[in-house]
Amino acid sequence: MPNPAAEARERTLGGFFAFGAYLLWGFLPLYFLLLVPTGPWELVAWRIVLSLAFCALLLTVTRSWPRLAAIFRKPRLLGLTVIAGLLIYVNWQVFIYGALSDQVIETSLGYFINPIATVLLAVLVLRERLRPTQWVAIGIAAAAVLVIVIGYGAFPWIALTLAASFGIYGLVKKKVGPSVDAVSGLTLETLWLTPIAVVVLAIVGATQGLTMGANGWDHTVLLSLAGVVTAVPLLLFAAGARRISLTAVGLLQFVAPILQFIIGVWLLGEPMPIERWIGFALVWVALIVLTVDSVLHARRTRSAA
């Protein structure tokens, strides 16, 4: 028999896990800024290598190596993890570039747009039929991008790349499904990217010099934690997502871009002219439309069941 009290505790715990993940993701720009003078290329390379090392440690502690080995007997899953790895590499590289080049506001825009990009991908890739309100949200978001391009005079390539790469990454992870757990997935994704990371570190070392160990013990410690900082929110998210509804996940995902926006505007003092405010306002309207539609649809679905 189902235990309502236990289920409620699980949902509450899942909410805390998911909130913790998005909270950590929201503060990531500040962590990356603490790592200056490490550049974006070197930083992403260390993030890959150290994430792989941290995941290997977790697999050892939890004795999960057999679970990882089982995935190697499934070529389709392996292929999907390669694609996921390449997509997350693009996402990490662009995000860190934005954080270290005084464009944190635009990175937040990318994650505000991401839910809308996900809905659009459902139409283009999965051939899903959208409800009228979802089309309205997509139209408003498109208008927001046009306002930013025309009014602000700059194409928001960082935001659109982040939204597209993370949206497609989520689609690939959905194809993978529960067959690959969070730790094994991140292990494989970083494993495939490690050769790229090694080449990048070699090039940076030969041209500019590596910053690891060259800027004091405090910088070295912070840079060495890049793997932990990468893996912990992913594991929190995985633990939370399986305990709460997709609607709850959808609502919580706005925590990260809101924090990034606040950091960019009020802590880092990045420019926010009227054209940008209008563009962001349109995106927020689109998200309100999308969120309300999602909540109402979930309620109707429950009532029909």
Side-chain angles (χ1 to χ4, degrees):
M1 294 290 293
N3 187 332
E7 290 176 355
R9 282 195 299 271
E10 281 293 292
R11 286 194 298 271
T12 302
L13 186 62
F16 279 117
F17 282 147
F19 179 78
Y22 286 117
L23 190 69
L24 292 174
W25 279 328
F27 283 111
L28 267 185
L30 291 179
Y31 168 72
F32 293 141
L33 287 171
L34 289 175
L35 299 179
V36 174
T38 304
W41 292 100
E42 182 186 354
L43 180 48
V44 172
W46 283 122
R47 194 178 184 187
I48 292 167
V49 172
L50 295 171
S51 294
L52 179 59
F54 183 66
C55 286
L57 177 63
L58 285 179
L59 288 172
T60 302
V61 171
T62 59
R63 300 180 180 179
S64 300
W65 286 103
R67 188 185 303 172
L68 178 68
I71 301 171
F72 280 87
R73 296 193 289 271
K74 300 174 181 178
R76 176 181 170 277
L77 285 181
L78 278 182
L80 289 172
T81 62
V82 171
I83 296 171
L86 293 173
L87 287 167
I88 205 63
Y89 177 78
V90 172
N91 187 269
W92 287 353
Q93 193 67 71
V94 172
F95 180 82
I96 291 177
Y97 170 79
L100 296 183
S101 60
D102 301 323
Q103 298 181 82
V104 172
I105 292 175
E106 191 170 330
T107 67
S108 75
L109 178 62
Y111 291 109
F112 277 125
I113 294 175
N114 181 65
I116 300 165
T118 301
V119 171
L120 189 58
L121 283 170
V123 177
L124 299 176
V125 180
L126 302 179
R127 303 298 181 185
E128 292 183 6
R129 296 184 62 182
L130 297 187
R131 296 181 292 277
T133 45
Q134 291 176 311
W135 279 116
V136 170
I138 291 174
I140 297 172
V145 173
L146 283 176
V147 167
I148 292 172
V149 171
I150 297 171
Y152 188 56
F155 185 75
W157 69 270
I158 291 176
L160 295 179
T161 302
L162 289 175
S165 60
F166 201 72
I168 300 172
Y169 176 77
L171 186 64
V172 172
K173 297 291 275 187
K174 184 177 179 180
K175 292 286 186 182
V176 171
S179 304
V180 179
D181 62 280
V183 178
S184 297
L186 184 59
T187 301
L188 289 171
E189 290 161 20
T190 51
L191 177 64
W192 310 136
L193 295 177
T194 295
I196 298 175
V198 170
V199 170
V200 169
L201 289 175
I203 293 173
V204 172
T207 55
Q208 304 170 5
L210 296 175
T211 59
M212 176 69 87
N215 293 276
W217 67 268
D218 51 343
H219 179 273
T220 301
V221 170
L222 285 172
L223 186 53
S224 299
L225 291 174
V228 176
V229 169
T230 298
V232 168
L234 284 170
L235 297 176
L236 286 173
F237 175 76
R242 68 171 180 261
R243 289 177 169 88
I244 59 177
S245 66
L246 286 175
T247 303
V249 172
L251 293 173
L252 285 170
Q253 71 180 324
F254 299 128
V255 170
I258 288 171
L259 284 172
Q260 291 166 12
F261 181 79
I262 291 171
I263 288 169
V265 174
W266 283 286
L267 289 185
L268 303 180
E270 294 182 13
M272 197 67 186
I274 186 64
E275 297 86 358
R276 222 176 193 187
W277 277 112
I278 294 172
F280 268 82
L282 287 171
V283 169
W284 294 332
V285 170
L287 290 174
I288 291 170
V289 171
L290 197 65
T291 302
V292 171
D293 173 78
S294 176
V295 171
L296 292 177
H297 180 70
R299 287 179 179 175
R300 285 194 296 266
T301 302
R302 284 197 299 269
S303 299

